[in-house]
Amino acid sequence: MFGMSGGELVVLALVALFVLGPERLPGAIRAVSAAMTQAKTWLDSAKDQLNTPELQHLREPLEELRAPLAELRAADPRRAARDLLAAPPARTAAAATPADSSGDPQNTSGGAVA
């Protein structure tokens, strides 16, 4: 209930017993229970009102967006960055060509000087 474990519920019950006392604790439990029941009834009613056919035309564009949103949520930018950093550096075209054998630093033709 509300993400609470059994031990937490026991501690909460003991605190309520000490704060409210044994005389008022049953009435407080009934009041909290009635409030939770009323809230559940209200939420169920609101959900039923939102699931009407009149609102179906509003739901259709949202359904079209679900697939791209799911792809975005599945994307992990940290993993993509880690993969890019771990990959060996790509060889560029300049690094792949052999060095100029003419010895002339001004010669950019790649061949011998004429």
Side-chain angles (χ1 to χ4, degrees), residues 15-26:
V15 169
L17 179 63
F18 285 123
V19 170
L20 297 174
E23 301 85 26
R24 293 187 291 177
L25 186 60

Side-chain angles (χ1 to χ4, degrees), residues 14-72:
L14 289 174
V15 169
L17 179 63
F18 285 123
V19 170
L20 297 174
E23 301 85 26
R24 293 187 291 177
L25 186 60
I29 291 173
R30 280 191 291 275
V32 169
S33 175
M36 289 180 65
T37 302
Q38 185 178 9
K40 184 180 181 323
T41 302
W42 181 79
L43 287 173
D44 288 343
S45 171
K47 189 188 305 184
D48 290 342
Q49 289 177 359
L50 290 175
N51 287 332
T52 60
E54 293 86 24
L55 295 178
Q56 183 64 31
H57 70 280
L58 296 175
R59 200 172 293 116
E60 290 169 359
L62 293 175
E63 292 297 326
E64 293 174 4
L65 295 174
R66 287 188 192 265
L69 284 176
E71 291 175 15
L72 286 174

Side-chain angles (χ1 to χ4, degrees), residues 5 90 94-95 98 101 108:
S5 67
S101 61
T108 59

